[in-house]
Amino acid sequence: MKKIAVLLFLIIPGMVLAQKEAKPNINKAITALKNGKFEEAKSTIDAATTYEKTMTDGKTWFYRAVIYGALDTTTSYTSTENLAGIAAESLKKADELSNGKSSAYFVQDKAGNMVLYDQVINLIGNAYLVKGDKAFSAEDFKGALKQFEKGIAFKANKPDTTFYEYAGYAAYNSEERQKAMDFLTKYADLGGRRTQALTMPALLAYEDQNFEAALTSAQKVLKILPNHKDLKAVELNSLIQLKRYDEAAKNLEVAVKANPNDAQSIYLLGVLNTELKKLEDAKANFEAALKIQPDFFDAQFNLANYFLIEIDKTTQDINALGISSANAKKKQELVQKRVKQSEAAIPYLEKAEKMKAPSQDAEIELLHKLSLLYYYIADDKNNERVAKKLKALGVED
């Protein structure tokens, strides 16, 4: 009877056999990670985040961030979980629970040396950077962007300009232009000062004809790079597109007054005067800019365009004529007028042709205009010369 009583006692649920939950050992989780026992490390640290005596310890969450970050950056572990996101959230929790003392957290390497909080964050962050850089070099831009974004998330509490710069380039090459602009704007906000990264957001916004964004970005960066030629042009042209002429004129007036020998500002004043139909003033501005900087392609090209305006008007007059004998005579007079106008304009374009064009598109536009004027004056030799240059640039008839 005694034996039966004991057996009955043992099978009564919820009594004597109920055991106390074992306390997870966070140090064993780190040891398991160092020994390559990844699942053990992960399950042990996860248990610690729900155990009442370890879940409020900032070190628990720091260890979890280290383990998840290490698992996400090693090539010998794969998971469908958002390991970087969990690591980032764990770091945030660790900092919140540390009462401002998270920098004192550390782990030990295999040799028993202390690796402090900042060192750990940098090591794992750099692992994301290396993976992203490798993908970028292989032209896997989307894969690169993914790694850089993980690094940004992991280092959210200690942002690194390098990640934002590289993420911006990867996003641009992935044709995610808005992301590229956002990352590179953040790069500037964090104190990044590489010229290409600083200027890209304004230039991309301008290309996308988002003139408000282009203007805001250009003016922001011009405080850092006050003499940047392209950004000054973006600022002025954005103001023109937004029809904020008074503001554009005021900005240029201040710039020219501050530096009367600034060819760029004088040239931009010519661009504004062209927009305002003050063509004689614009012509004078372009000529003044060229006196200061004789190899200024844009000023030379725009000066040539001053003469092309009258040629275009004459062409329109020719095309508007009917086929009567009186109109035929008038047409001959206008054709001769256009020949003389073309002969006057060609030297200005030919001079620009000898200068270094800022882009292939600008060179092609120049050559097309030259070709048209050579056609007007029946200069077959030069027309053929220009045609060869256009073909070399990939432009077919």
Side-chain angles (χ1 to χ4, degrees):
M1 286 296 295
K2 287 183 179 181
K3 289 183 179 180
I4 293 173
V6 169
L7 287 173
L8 288 172
F9 182 73
L10 288 176
I11 62 174
I12 296 174
M15 298 185 67
V16 179
L17 289 183
Q19 296 182 0
K20 189 175 182 180
E21 182 185 359
K23 176 182 177 181
N25 189 317
I26 61 175
N27 291 318
K28 285 185 177 180
I30 291 293
T31 300
L33 175 69
K34 288 188 283 189
N35 292 332
K37 298 177 181 179
F38 300 138
E39 288 298 342
E40 180 184 335
K42 185 172 178 294
S43 60
T44 301
I45 201 64
D46 283 345
T49 62
T50 58
Y51 184 72
E52 63 176 343
K53 291 187 178 179
T54 53
M55 64 187 294
T56 56
D57 186 346
K59 189 191 294 185
T60 298
W61 296 92
F62 170 61
Y63 280 11
R64 190 187 195 214
V66 171
I67 290 169
Y68 271 76
L71 294 180
D72 198 32
T73 53
T74 183
T75 56
S76 53
Y77 185 84
T78 57
S79 173
T80 57
E81 288 184 90
N82 179 12
L83 299 177
I86 295 170
E89 286 299 317
S90 298
L91 274 181
K92 183 179 179 182
K93 185 82 170 177
D95 288 340
E96 289 172 354
L97 292 171
S98 73
N99 294 319
K101 298 179 180 179
S102 61
S103 61
Y105 293 148
F106 67 91
V107 294
Q108 289 184 315
D109 61 18
K110 287 186 177 182
N113 299 312
M114 282 198 318
V115 185
L116 295 173
Y117 177 95
D118 286 342
Q119 294 173 302
V120 174
I121 303 308
N122 287 334
L123 284 169
I124 295 175
N126 286 339
Y128 283 120
L129 201 63
V130 169
K131 290 183 75 173
D133 186 55
K134 185 176 180 180
F136 194 96
S137 297
E139 298 188 2
D140 175 12
F141 301 120
K142 290 189 181 297
L145 177 59
K146 183 177 180 181
Q147 294 301 322
F148 296 142
E149 287 181 311
K150 285 182 176 184
I152 286 171
F154 187 76
K155 301 193 72 173
N157 289 347
K158 293 183 178 293
D160 186 333
T161 58
T162 303
F163 276 103
Y164 285 95
E165 181 184 9
Y166 286 10
Y169 297 150
Y172 173 75
N173 283 284
S174 300
E175 298 184 358
E176 296 190 50
R177 293 168 73 90
Q178 188 56 55
K179 270 192 175 185
M181 289 185 273
D182 291 343
F183 282 131
L184 293 174
T185 297
K186 182 67 174 178
Y187 166 82
D189 291 342
L190 290 171
R193 290 299 179 262
R194 198 184 301 273
T195 299
Q196 180 181 353
L198 287 174
T199 58
M200 272 184 70
L203 296 174
L204 290 176
Y206 188 79
E207 281 182 13
D208 293 343
Q209 298 187 8
N210 185 349
F211 300 117
E212 285 285 3
L215 177 62
T216 299
S217 183
Q219 290 181 331
K220 184 177 181 180
V221 178
L222 280 169
K223 293 178 181 177
I224 303 167
L225 304 171
N227 298 315
H228 195 280
K229 179 179 176 181
D230 291 339
L231 290 189
K232 287 170 73 174
V234 166
E235 179 188 34
L236 174 73
N237 288 321
S238 295
L239 287 169
I240 289 174
Q241 292 294 333
L242 296 168
K243 300 190 184 305
R244 291 161 60 174
Y245 302 127
D246 290 344
E247 187 177 345
K250 183 178 179 180
N251 287 357
L252 288 172
E253 181 182 342
V254 171
V256 173
K257 187 175 181 179
N259 186 359
N261 293 317
D262 180 10
Q264 172 74 0
S265 295
I266 295 170
Y267 158 73
L268 291 175
L269 186 57
V271 173
L272 176 60
N273 280 326
T274 299
E275 175 69 19
L276 297 174
K277 308 301 181 187
K278 298 178 180 179
L279 301 182
E280 290 298 326
D281 289 342
K283 178 174 178 287
N285 295 142
F286 299 139
E287 289 172 336
L290 285 164
K291 284 182 180 179
I292 298 168
Q293 185 180 329
D295 63 345
F296 198 157
F297 176 91
D298 288 336
Q300 184 65 39
F301 189 38
N302 277 272
L303 180 59
N305 284 334
Y306 167 83
F307 295 96
L308 295 181
I309 292 171
E310 292 303 315
I311 296 174
D312 288 340
K313 288 180 181 178
T314 303
T315 299
Q316 290 172 14
D317 291 341
I318 292 171
N319 294 336
L321 292 173
I323 58 173
S324 67
S325 57
N327 282 333
K329 181 180 179 183
K330 181 65 174 175
K331 182 175 183 179
Q332 285 299 320
E333 292 173 355
L334 288 174
V335 167
Q336 288 304 311
K337 178 182 178 182
R338 187 171 65 183
V339 167
K340 290 180 179 180
Q341 290 173 328
S342 298
E343 289 173 340
I346 284 172
Y348 290 93
L349 285 172
E350 288 179 333
K351 189 171 182 179
E353 184 187 7
K354 294 175 183 177
M355 298 177 181
K356 181 176 175 56
S359 68
Q360 184 171 304
D361 287 343
E363 184 177 5
I364 289 171
E365 183 183 358
L366 167 66
L367 293 173
H368 274 310
K369 290 186 175 182
L370 258 179
S371 178
L372 183 61
L373 296 194
Y374 287 142
Y375 169 74
Y376 287 157
I377 67 171
D379 187 343
D380 296 336
K381 183 178 179 180
N382 270 314
N383 212 345
E384 184 178 346
R385 174 183 68 78
V386 168
K388 287 180 180 179
K389 291 185 74 171
L390 284 168
K391 188 173 183 179
L393 291 169
V395 180
E396 301 292 340
D397 291 338

